[in-house]
Amino acid sequence: MENKELQKFYIDIQEEINSTLITEEEGTNPEQVFTELALSFLSDAGETENYRVCFDEKISKRGVEHKINGYSLYENYETLDLFVTVYNGDSSIQSVTKGDADKTIDRAVKFFRNAIYKDYVNEIEESSEIFDLAQTLANVPEVKEYLTRVNIFLITNGEVKADLKTSDTVAGYTVFYRMIDINYLFNLSDKSRVPIEINFEQSGYKVPCIVNETENSDYQSWLAIIPGLALADIYEQYGARLLEQNVRSFLQFTGKINKGIRNTILNEQHMFMAFNNGIAATAEEVSITDLPNNQGKTIAQVKDFQIVNGGQTTASVYHTWKKDKVDISNVFVPVKLTIVKNRDNFSEIVGRIAEYANTQNRVSASDLSSNRENHVLIEKLSRTIWAPPISGETTQTRWFFERSRGQYKNDRNRFGLTPSKRKQFDKQNPRSQMFTKELLAKYINYYEEVYSGKKLVIGPHIVVRGSQKNYAQFLNYNFSFKPDNIWFEDLIAKALLFRNAEKIYGVKPNAIGDMRYITVPYSLAWLGFKLDYKLDLYKIWKQQSLSDILKSKLHELMSKVEDYIKTQAPGSLYGEWAKKEECWNAIRNKDFSIDLESLKADLENKSSEKRKRITEDETQKAEREASLNRLKSIHVKTWKKIENWGRETQNLTQYQYDMASTLSSKIRNNRQITDIQLNQGESILNIAAELNPELFFDMDDYFNAEDNKKEEEAEVSIDLIERIVQWDKRNKRLDAYKYRFMVDLLDGKKELTDRNKYLVRLNLKAARKYGFR
C-alpha cells in the first residue's frame, strides 16, 4: 500500500513540475522547479526558512568543482542551509547510490569551504546567482561572530537507501548532512512535519522529572530539569527547528543572546535555576526510566519535541557555551513538558499552548486568533469570487488561496471526481493562480509603506528579507482588518503586478540580471510611492493583465533600480544592503529620470467605476450555493453506490450512509436540502473521494445517458430558456456568446426557430453538465 501511495505521490510531483514548466517563463528547468517544490515542503515544516532557489555549478578540467541549487542564510546569521539536488525525470522512482550521494554532497561542501575564505569571491562571476552569498560569507563580520550551524541538504526525487554521514567539521564549522529523498518528502506531505526525536539516555543525560497524575484525555504534564549541556546539544543540531512553527512566525525568533542570561552563566552559574523561568515544551510521546534506589524518574526519550516558550533562553545557553567556551555543567533549566494525547487536534492544541505561553510577548493570543479568522475569510472569498475572463477567453477563473498546504491538491481530488470534472476544475482554478500565505504577505507588503508610530515597519527591504520574516511583519503590522471582496480584488491586482514584473525581469540567460528577488519588490514599491498609490487596481483586476505601457515602464525602471543597487551597495554586498531601510530610503529619493506622465491612463480617476462591497452574508450564501451545486453534481445512482459501499465496508457510520440515501432521494425529487444535510453530504463525499475514488468513475456515463434521453424529450420553451439564463447568471458556466444568445431569445430579439431550439438544447446539455437541474 505504502509503495503504491509513494509512487502516486511521485507521479503527482512530476505532473506538478511539468505544469509549472508550462506556465513559467523560458529558462526554468525541471531540476530547479523540483528544488523549489521540495524547499516549500521543508519551509512549511519549519525545517528551513527564507530560502532562495538559485543555481551555480563550477566546472573545471577535473570535473564539477562545486554545485549549489539553493541556500538559506538565517536572519541572525546563526544557520546556513545549502541545498544541492539530484533530479531525474523518469516515470518511476530511481535509486540514488551512496557514491552519487556522497559526490553530490561533497560539491556543496567545497563551495562552503571555499566561500568562507575571502579570495574565492574573486573567482566567482559577479553575474552568478551565488555571488551574493559568497560575498556575505567572506566579508560580513556577523557571519564570523554568529554562524554556528551549517546544514547541507541533499534533495532528490529518487530513493536513498544507503546510510550517509550525519556531521562533520568543515573550515572550523559544524556541518550537518540531511537527506531529503522522495520518502522524506512523502512523509512531510502526509504529516506536515517529520518529528524531532531526542534520546537523552543514549546521549548520557539525566533529565529528572515528576508527573502531574491528574487524568484527562487531552494531555499529560511533566515538570523536568534539563541539563544546560543537553539543551545546548539539541539546539546545536536542530536550531530554530525546535521552535513550534506558530511561535517562529509570530514572534520573529532571532536566536540572539540575552545579556542577563549570559551574565548569569558567566558569573553566577549556580543561581541559573533561581533566576530563569525555564522553557515550556510539547511532545507527542515520552519514555520514562525509573532511577535506581528510588531516586525518582528521568525522561529517557521524547518524540516530536517542540519548544513553545523559552527559545531565547535556549539560544542564550547555547551561544554562551559555544562562543565563550564556558563550562556549563552547573547550568540546569526548568521545563514544563506537555504530552498532547489527542492526535486529531495535535497541531491546534500545540498552537494554542504556544499562544498562551507567549501572551506576555507583544503579540497577543487575540492577535493570533484574529489572523486565523482573516485567513479563513480570504479562503472563502477565493472560492466564491470569479475573476473576469482574460482577453480572448470565455472561461471565468478563480484565484485559489491555499490556507494550508495541500488544499489545492485535495480540492482537485474532491471536485475532479471524473475526467470531465477534473478538466473543469483545472480550467476554473489554474495552478498558476494558486497562492499561499507567504505569497499573500509578499503581494500586500511590497505595495505600500506602513509605519508604526514613526518607525517604518513595512517596505520592500522587509520583503527582501525572505518569506518568514516578511510574513511575520505582515501578521504583526498589516493584517488587522476584515478582508472583503474589494480588498481581495485589489490583492489579486497586486499579485498580477508582481507576477508580471517577474516575467518582464525574465530568467537567465534572458534576464535583466541576477537580482530578481530584490529588484522586483523595490521597483514596484518605488512606482507605488511615486504615483502616490493611485494605480487603478480595479482596472488591472478587470483586465487580469497590465497595459503595454505599464509593462514597458516596468522594464525600464527595473533595469535602472538593479544598476543603482549594484553600484551603490557598500562593499558590493547588495543582498545585505537591500535588507536595510537605508537602501529603500536611498531608492525612494531617486527619480531615475523616469517619465511617469505616460501612465495617466493607468491611474484612478474621478469617473472610475463605483465598486459594490459584498457583505459577509452574501459570501456565505455564495459558499452555500457552491456546496449545494457540488452535492447536486453527484448522480443519484452514485449516491446509491456510496450508501452501499459505506454500509458494506463500515467506512461510513449508519448515520452517514442513511444520509447518503436521504440526499439521493432529495436530489432526485428536487427537494430543499438543509444546512445539516449539506455539511454531512460534504463530509461523506470527502471520505468516499479519499478512500474509494472508483465509486465516481462511471458517473459521466450515467449523466451522458440521462442527458441524451432528456435532450430527445426536452420541450424548448421560453420558461426553460429563462430558467437557464437565471441559473447561468449565478453560476457563469456558459460561454459569454452562448449566454447572450439565450438572452436574445428571451427578449424576443431572436426567433425560436427549429435551428435555434437545437442550439438551446446544446446549451441545456452544457448547463446540465455543471449541475443545472
Side-chain angles (χ1 to χ4, degrees):
M1 182 66 182
E2 178 88 351
N3 274 351
K4 198 174 163 190
E5 290 285 305
L6 183 68
Q7 181 62 27
K8 184 180 181 305
F9 174 71
Y10 176 82
I11 288 164
D12 283 349
I13 278 194
Q14 299 298 72
E15 274 180 13
E16 193 162 335
I17 290 167
N18 292 333
S19 65
T20 305
L21 285 170
I22 292 162
T23 57
E24 284 288 318
E25 55 273 54
E26 285 169 40
T28 308
N29 63 51
E31 182 172 286
Q32 287 306 78
V33 174
F34 168 67
T35 305
E36 173 83 58
L37 189 63
L39 295 195
S40 72
F41 275 115
L42 288 171
S43 174
D44 283 356
E47 299 201 23
T48 187
E49 60 180 59
N50 296 342
Y51 63 85
R52 217 189 132 200
V53 173
C54 53
F55 180 76
D56 193 79
E57 194 169 42
K58 186 183 180 192
I59 299 173
S60 70
K61 286 173 186 160
R62 292 192 298 275
V64 178
E65 290 280 307
H66 76 233
K67 180 183 172 185
I68 295 289
N69 292 79
Y71 70 85
S72 165
L73 183 59
Y74 288 36
E75 191 200 354
N76 55 1
Y77 303 101
E78 188 190 77
T79 303
L80 168 69
D81 293 338
L82 292 174
F83 307 102
V84 59
T85 305
V86 173
Y87 171 80
N88 71 72
D90 289 36
S91 56
S92 60
I93 299 166
Q94 302 298 306
S95 284
V96 177
T97 64
K98 181 172 169 37
D100 281 347
D102 286 340
K103 198 163 62 186
T104 306
I105 285 170
D106 201 42
R107 289 169 182 169
V109 170
K110 276 182 186 161
F111 169 79
F112 174 68
R113 187 184 286 117
N114 290 338
I116 282 293
Y117 301 116
K118 287 189 174 186
D119 56 347
Y120 185 59
V121 173
N122 307 324
E123 292 180 35
I124 299 182
E125 292 283 324
E126 198 171 329
S127 63
S128 158
E129 292 185 294
I130 213 81
F131 176 79
D132 194 19
L133 175 65
Q135 273 278 57
T136 302
L137 292 176
N139 298 320
V140 171
E142 286 92 340
V143 170
K144 298 278 176 284
E145 192 181 339
Y146 292 118
L147 185 63
T148 53
R149 182 188 308 100
V150 180
N151 296 312
I152 292 182
F153 291 77
L154 172 62
I155 292 177
T156 177
N157 64 339
E159 232 173 338
V160 181
K161 289 176 178 159
D163 283 337
L164 303 175
K165 58 184 172 182
T166 53
S167 67
D168 217 340
T169 303
V170 178
Y173 291 89
T174 307
V175 175
F176 293 98
Y177 300 107
R178 302 280 313 280
M179 175 54 54
I180 310 295
D181 69 352
I182 194 72
N183 288 294
Y184 196 95
L185 291 171
F186 174 61
N187 285 334
L188 271 192
S189 73
D190 206 31
K191 301 186 183 83
S192 86
R193 188 176 71 251
V194 172
I196 291 172
E197 298 193 31
I198 296 162
N199 193 324
F200 292 115
E201 205 168 47
Q202 210 171 44
S203 309
Y205 295 117
K206 206 181 279 182
V207 185
C209 61
I210 54 169
V211 66
N212 172 7
E213 299 290 358
T214 316
E215 274 296 310
N216 75 65
S217 57
D218 287 328
Y219 73 93
Q220 184 175 34
S221 277
W222 295 81
L223 291 176
I225 296 171
I226 187 168
L229 276 167
L231 199 57
D233 207 0
I234 59 177
Y235 186 75
E236 170 150 86
Q237 188 167 351
Y238 298 109
R241 270 183 74 202
L242 285 170
L243 256 95
E244 202 281 323
Q245 252 185 298
N246 281 0
V247 180
R248 199 167 47 247
S249 289
F250 295 115
L251 307 187
Q252 301 176 47
F253 170 71
T254 62
K256 287 193 177 146
I257 302 171
N258 177 301
K259 288 195 179 85
I261 296 175
R262 181 174 176 269
N263 288 337
T264 303
I265 296 171
L266 292 176
N267 305 317
E268 298 179 275
Q269 214 174 101
H270 64 291
M271 296 301 290
F272 192 89
M273 276 274 286
F275 291 168
N276 190 274
N277 288 335
I279 63 177
T282 60
E284 180 191 328
E285 276 174 37
V286 62
S287 310
I288 302 295
T289 303
D290 287 318
L291 290 167
N293 308 324
N294 290 332
Q295 284 181 304
K297 299 177 185 302
T298 179
I299 295 176
Q301 239 175 315
V302 278
K303 184 181 176 189
D304 203 354
F305 186 72
Q306 293 271 283
I307 294 173
V308 296
N309 192 4
Q312 199 177 35
T313 296
T314 307
S316 301
V317 169
Y318 172 73
H319 281 290
T320 309
W321 168 68
K322 188 82 174 175
K323 294 294 179 192
D324 296 302
K325 304 282 186 281
V326 66
D327 174 16
I328 57 168
S329 53
N330 289 321
V331 171
F332 293 92
V333 184
V335 183
K336 182 182 86 173
L337 181 63
T338 306
I339 310 303
V340 181
K341 294 178 184 173
N342 187 337
R343 301 308 304 150
D344 295 340
N345 294 338
F346 182 74
S347 299
E348 197 210 336
I349 292 171
V350 172
R352 283 173 65 197
I353 293 170
E355 277 177 28
Y356 297 119
N358 285 285
T359 46
Q360 66 269 42
N361 199 291
R362 183 177 56 72
V363 181
S364 69
S366 60
D367 286 339
L368 299 186
S369 53
S370 68
N371 287 325
R372 278 210 294 263
E373 275 170 37
N374 277 355
H375 283 125
V376 171
L377 270 175
I378 296 169
E379 182 187 358
K380 285 180 178 175
L381 290 163
S382 92
R383 304 298 192 270
T384 51
I385 291 177
W386 291 88
I390 55 172
S391 178
E393 291 280 338
T394 51
T395 307
Q396 286 193 292
T397 59
R398 283 187 291 221
W399 283 77
F400 191 104
F401 175 52
E402 196 171 61
R403 184 168 58 85
S404 55
R405 172 174 275 290
Q407 275 186 323
Y408 181 85
K409 186 178 152 196
N410 292 343
D411 273 17
R412 190 170 182 261
N413 290 340
R414 281 169 55 212
F415 294 100
L417 294 166
T418 66
S420 66
K421 283 195 185 301
R422 180 159 287 201
K423 205 169 163 189
Q424 180 194 340
F425 180 87
D426 290 347
K427 211 170 175 187
Q428 289 171 355
N429 305 276
R431 190 183 288 278
S432 60
Q433 288 179 197
M434 188 262 278
F435 62 102
T436 60
K437 287 187 287 199
E438 286 77 15
L439 285 172
L440 159 73
K442 189 191 279 189
Y443 298 149
I444 297 292
N445 279 3
Y446 84 78
Y447 188 73
E448 190 170 346
E449 294 180 319
V450 175
Y451 284 84
S452 176
K454 288 187 176 175
K455 190 178 177 221
L456 179 66
V457 289
I458 300 287
H461 58 297
I462 302 289
V463 176
V464 167
R465 287 180 195 178
S467 56
Q468 267 89 351
K469 175 72 181 173
N470 183 58
Y471 182 58
Q473 289 292 98
F474 168 70
L475 293 177
N476 293 334
Y477 297 110
N478 215 3
F479 202 39
S480 57
F481 50 85
K482 252 192 172 174
D484 61 19
N485 63 303
I486 292 177
W487 179 89
F488 183 81
E489 288 166 3
D490 284 353
L491 159 72
I492 301 309
K494 291 166 189 172
L496 284 160
L497 263 168
F498 198 92
R499 290 179 175 201
N500 273 278
E502 286 192 317
K503 278 204 164 140
I504 294 160
Y505 185 96
V507 171
K508 293 178 92 171
N510 313 311
I512 287 172
D514 57 302
M515 285 179 15
R516 188 168 87 164
Y517 79 108
I518 295 171
T519 303
V520 168
Y522 264 94
S523 303
L524 291 169
W526 182 91
L527 189 68
F529 181 76
K530 295 294 181 192
L531 294 174
D532 197 22
Y533 309 110
K534 291 285 190 287
L535 260 181
D536 191 343
L537 294 173
Y538 189 44
K539 181 182 171 187
I540 294 174
W541 159 258
K542 283 191 300 183
Q543 295 180 347
Q544 292 289 294
S545 63
L546 311 187
S547 70
D548 290 341
I549 288 179
L550 182 52
K551 284 180 184 175
S552 69
K553 199 55 75 182
L554 279 172
H555 191 279
E556 180 193 352
L557 172 60
M558 288 192 290
S559 306
K560 289 182 174 176
V561 167
E562 170 124 355
D563 188 51
Y564 181 78
I565 293 176
K566 282 198 161 169
T567 53
Q568 299 300 312
S572 294
L573 291 163
Y574 49 78
E576 291 301 301
W577 192 48
K579 292 174 187 170
K580 296 189 165 82
E581 196 179 319
E582 303 91 272
C583 179
W584 169 231
N585 288 335
I587 283 175
R588 187 176 50 187
N589 295 328
K590 291 282 295 174
D591 71 358
F592 295 115
S593 309
I594 285 181
D595 170 30
L596 296 174
E597 278 299 303
S598 57
L599 290 178
K600 268 194 171 154
D602 286 292
L603 303 184
E604 293 170 352
N605 55 53
K606 288 197 173 85
S607 63
S608 287
E609 223 173 300
K610 192 86 182 113
R611 297 166 75 178
K612 183 176 178 288
R613 201 173 293 278
I614 297 171
T615 64
E616 219 177 311
D617 284 353
E618 287 172 304
T619 303
Q620 274 176 333
K621 201 172 157 192
E623 211 185 354
R624 189 184 193 284
E625 189 77 28
S627 184
L628 198 56
N629 283 338
R630 183 183 179 215
L631 263 56
K632 288 182 174 179
S633 72
I634 305 298
H635 198 279
V636 288
K637 285 185 181 173
T638 306
W639 277 113
K640 193 71 192 157
K641 277 171 76 172
I642 292 170
E643 178 196 344
N644 294 338
W645 165 80
R647 184 188 292 110
E648 285 158 18
T649 61
Q650 293 295 295
N651 283 323
L652 297 178
T653 63
Q654 182 171 348
Y655 178 77
Q656 285 174 320
Y657 59 71
D658 286 348
M659 181 62 76
S661 172
T662 303
L663 286 165
S664 173
S665 158
K666 287 207 161 191
I667 290 164
R668 184 189 298 107
N669 300 313
N670 205 13
R671 297 230 171 85
Q672 184 91 24
I673 292 173
T674 68
D675 285 349
I676 290 173
Q677 289 164 344
L678 208 56
N679 292 337
Q680 285 296 323
E682 284 277 5
S683 300
I684 292 164
L685 287 182
N686 291 344
I687 293 167
E690 190 183 345
L691 298 180
N692 190 5
E694 287 90 347
L695 289 165
F696 302 92
F697 283 4
D698 44 13
M699 197 161 75
D700 275 351
D701 298 338
Y702 296 154
F703 277 123
N704 288 339
E706 201 174 86
D707 287 347
N708 291 338
K709 192 174 174 213
K710 281 180 181 171
E711 261 125 55
E712 287 159 19
E713 295 167 359
E715 181 53 50
V716 176
S717 64
I718 291 297
D719 176 54
L720 174 66
I721 294 167
E722 184 168 17
R723 284 197 299 119
I724 296 171
V725 165
Q726 290 306 326
W727 176 85
D728 196 57
K729 206 181 271 184
R730 290 192 307 274
N731 294 281
K732 299 184 170 53
R733 290 293 189 268
L734 295 180
D735 290 334
Y737 70 92
K738 291 178 181 172
Y739 174 78
R740 277 198 306 276
F741 164 76
M742 301 292 275
V743 170
D744 286 349
L745 285 171
L746 204 55
D747 293 346
K749 289 179 185 170
K750 284 188 165 60
E751 285 183 28
L752 210 50
T753 60
D754 285 346
R755 165 77 186 155
N756 286 348
K757 281 182 181 178
Y758 167 71
L759 294 175
V760 169
R761 285 195 184 98
L762 289 182
N763 288 343
L764 171 65
K765 186 176 184 178
R768 278 200 177 120
K769 203 165 78 178
Y770 294 120
F772 172 77
R773 294 285 173 265

